Amino acid sequence: MTDYDAFAQEYDAKARNSPQNTQYDRPALLEMLGDIAGACVLDAGCGSGLYAEELLRRGAEVIAIDGSRRLLDIARDRLGDQVKWRHHDLSEPLEWLPDRSVDHVLMALVIHYLEDPVPTLREIHRVLRDNGTVVLSTHHPASDWRRLGGSYFTDEMYEETWTTGWMMKYRRRPLQTIRLFDFERGGALT
């Protein structure tokens, strides 16, 4: 998994200001969540708390988790104790959350960091209340293909250093092979 601790401040500044985040991803995902006033929302992969801030503003109770301690520190500095913060690697079980304890789960630009998202999505299913929603986003794999070459259909964990100097590790795979969780049947789809 990518070590965001190494560049947490720089990542926060980029996420706060980049058009992809401010004009596309955040507005779209928040709109998909709909009215969340009074709901409990799990912000899975919360980063520096930018989504958590908006979730609070919309009246949600927020549980926010991230694998980066430095990003969590930035988020805590931004929002204080209004959010239930937890350092947690999403590839590990959510043992500390009871069954059916959250109304909604937000996974913004995080699923592509998981080598196998199915165990994580099974855990999310376990903690999600009946009729709850999962809203997630990922980067489009065509950008990897155009930049890295090879085949669009490549499916592999990939490491690269971005022009920012950040070492990134993520899953490169076509959209049609991203494994999603079928909540109705409790199984993985390919």
Side-chain angles (χ1 to χ4, degrees):
M1 194 156 211
T2 298
D3 178 15
Y4 277 92
D5 284 348
F7 47 84
Q9 292 288 348
E10 296 87 354
Y11 179 81
D12 174 56
K14 181 180 189 295
R16 270 186 288 122
N17 300 309
S18 81
Q20 179 183 355
N21 295 94
T22 62
Q23 303 299 312
Y24 180 66
D25 198 71
R26 271 197 301 274
L29 293 185
L30 292 166
E31 181 179 333
M32 287 170 40
L33 276 173
D35 181 9
I36 55 171
C40 179
V41 179
L42 174 62
D43 186 354
C46 69
S48 60
L50 297 171
Y51 284 90
E53 184 173 33
E54 186 60 26
L55 296 170
L56 283 174
R57 193 184 73 69
R58 294 173 182 221
E61 172 193 341
V62 181
I63 302 167
I65 61 177
D66 202 274
S68 167
R69 291 185 190 279
R70 291 200 56 213
L71 283 173
L72 283 171
D73 288 344
I74 293 167
R76 275 190 200 97
D77 288 347
R78 176 177 282 121
L79 301 170
D81 293 332
Q82 299 176 77
V83 172
K84 295 175 185 167
W85 304 106
R86 180 91 178 205
H87 178 254
H88 183 80
D89 180 341
L90 281 172
S91 64
E92 298 296 324
L94 300 166
E95 295 170 343
W96 46 274
L97 273 175
D99 293 356
R100 309 286 180 252
S101 58
V102 299
D103 297 299
H104 307 284
V105 178
L106 173 70
M107 291 183 73
L109 298 170
V110 69
I111 200 164
H112 48 274
Y113 293 115
L114 300 170
E115 189 164 346
D116 181 5
V118 172
T120 301
L121 293 171
R122 282 193 179 122
E123 276 295 283
I124 285 171
H125 179 252
R126 181 185 64 76
V127 303
L128 193 63
R129 291 187 178 119
D130 293 340
N131 299 317
T133 59
V134 176
V135 175
L136 60 85
S137 62
T138 189
H139 73 281
H140 199 288
S143 62
D144 296 333
W145 171 54
R146 284 193 325 263
R147 192 179 70 260
L148 303 171
S151 170
Y152 169 82
F153 298 100
T154 299
D155 185 345
E156 65 184 354
M157 287 303 289
Y158 189 78
E159 288 186 46
E160 68 177 322
T161 303
W162 287 2
T163 56
T164 56
W166 305 345
M167 174 58 77
M168 305 300 285
K169 182 177 180 182
Y170 57 93
R171 188 97 193 164
R172 175 186 180 194
R173 62 180 147 213
L175 287 177
Q176 66 265 36
T177 61
I178 292 177
R179 294 176 61 167
L180 297 177
F181 197 74
D182 178 351
F183 289 106
E184 292 298 317
R185 294 185 300 171
L189 296 175
T190 351

